[in-house]
Amino acid sequence: MLAVHSRADVRALASRAGRIYTSACVSASTAVADAASLISRGLVDRVVVAAGYLVEPDQFALFDAGRALADDGVVRPFSLGRRGLLLGDGVAAVVLEAGEGIAEIAGWGRAGDAYHPCRPDPDGRGLARAMKSALQRAGLPPEVVGYLNANATGTTYSDASEAAAINRVFAADVPVSSTKSVHGHALEASGLLELVLTIQALREGKLPVTAGFTTPDPDCALDVITVAPRPAGSAYGMTLNAAFGGANTALLVRAA
């Protein structure tokens, strides 16, 4: 048993320790939330978070057997007639530290559905709690958020559940897109890859489109960005991720 008796001991241990996250599609976003928590509590000054996923035959076969892959080869998040997801390679790394940088992790939230081993809560209550927690941690109202990088995988149940969650939290329309429509689902790396893309979009003032979108779905009543990038109307954005088992994360960021 390891006992830590002082703040100095905690700092020394945390500065040397490494962690590996295997919580499926919220692995990377959970790692970012934990890193931000350690820094905000003054336990460490700097954390490197890295994540990667390379499509492997067994993973492809697993999703294919579960009929989760888009059989037409196109991801159509939030679109009527969406047929599933596509896997994609992804590797990203960020350095989180106290002080000023290119962006700020303003808030983070995590919550579980406690609904079903595979299917998300159709009312989106778990993801909604994660979003509300991120906003509360930052001490900010929903109105400051000018962009949502959605988890939206292009699967029927998941996209509809996420739309319900978003509408639970945001009374007014907020621009939404899913970059998975371009780079595919990078599974464990998704949270970090999409965080980087969200920050870059806010810094450049240009919100990415949802590729493959064809027809609005009444079950996904959102302001989905289509056709062309949209100018960013706020420095704040939020990136959402969800995983099998009902795990949900929300990261609220502010571009510097």
Side-chain angles (χ1 to χ4, degrees):
M1 181 178 293
L2 176 64
V4 179
H5 299 287
S6 71
R7 184 182 179 87
D9 290 336
V10 172
R11 290 177 62 91
L13 177 62
S15 66
R16 296 195 302 271
R19 298 180 181 179
I20 297 175
Y21 289 77
T22 58
S23 45
C25 305
V26 296
S27 297
S29 50
T30 300
V32 171
D34 281 355
S37 177
L38 287 170
I39 293 171
S40 69
R41 291 158 55 197
L43 299 179
V44 296
D45 297 321
R46 183 180 296 107
V47 179
V48 177
V49 181
Y53 171 75
L54 302 178
V55 180
E56 299 175 337
D58 61 335
Q59 289 289 311
F60 186 90
L62 180 65
F63 279 88
D64 185 43
R67 298 182 179 179
L69 296 178
D71 57 11
D72 61 352
V74 181
V75 184
R76 305 183 189 280
F78 298 125
S79 182
L80 191 68
R82 56 191 179 276
R83 303 177 70 89
L85 60 86
L86 292 178
L87 298 175
D89 298 338
V91 178
V94 298
V95 177
L96 277 69
E97 58 185 2
E100 294 296 321
I102 64 171
E104 173 193 4
I105 306 295
W108 56 93
R110 293 171 282 191
D113 284 352
Y115 176 78
H116 187 275
C118 296
R119 287 189 180 183
D121 180 349
D123 295 326
R125 286 170 290 196
L127 184 56
R129 285 195 300 272
M131 287 187 277
K132 289 177 181 178
S133 178
L135 289 165
Q136 289 169 0
R137 192 180 300 276
L140 295 170
E143 293 75 23
V144 305
V145 178
Y147 172 59
L148 292 177
N149 188 324
N151 179 68
T153 59
T155 52
T156 302
Y157 294 111
S158 179
D159 287 11
S161 171
E162 185 170 14
I166 292 170
N167 286 321
R168 278 178 173 269
V169 177
F170 296 93
D173 286 344
V174 56
V176 179
S177 69
S178 170
T179 55
K180 284 186 179 75
S181 63
V182 176
H183 56 67
H185 198 338
L187 300 187
E188 292 91 343
S190 290
L192 196 60
L193 176 61
E194 290 157 23
L195 173 65
V196 170
L197 290 171
T198 299
I199 291 171
Q200 191 68 12
L202 295 173
R203 284 175 55 82
E204 293 187 4
K206 187 181 295 186
L207 307 181
V209 302
T210 301
F213 189 93
T214 56
T215 307
D217 183 350
D219 290 334
C220 300
L222 299 170
D223 181 14
V224 181
I225 303 171
T226 63
V227 183
R230 191 179 302 180
S234 169
Y236 286 93
M238 186 179 287
T239 178
L240 310 177
N241 289 97
F244 281 148
N248 304 281
T249 60
L251 301 175
L252 177 63
V253 299
R254 179 185 64 85

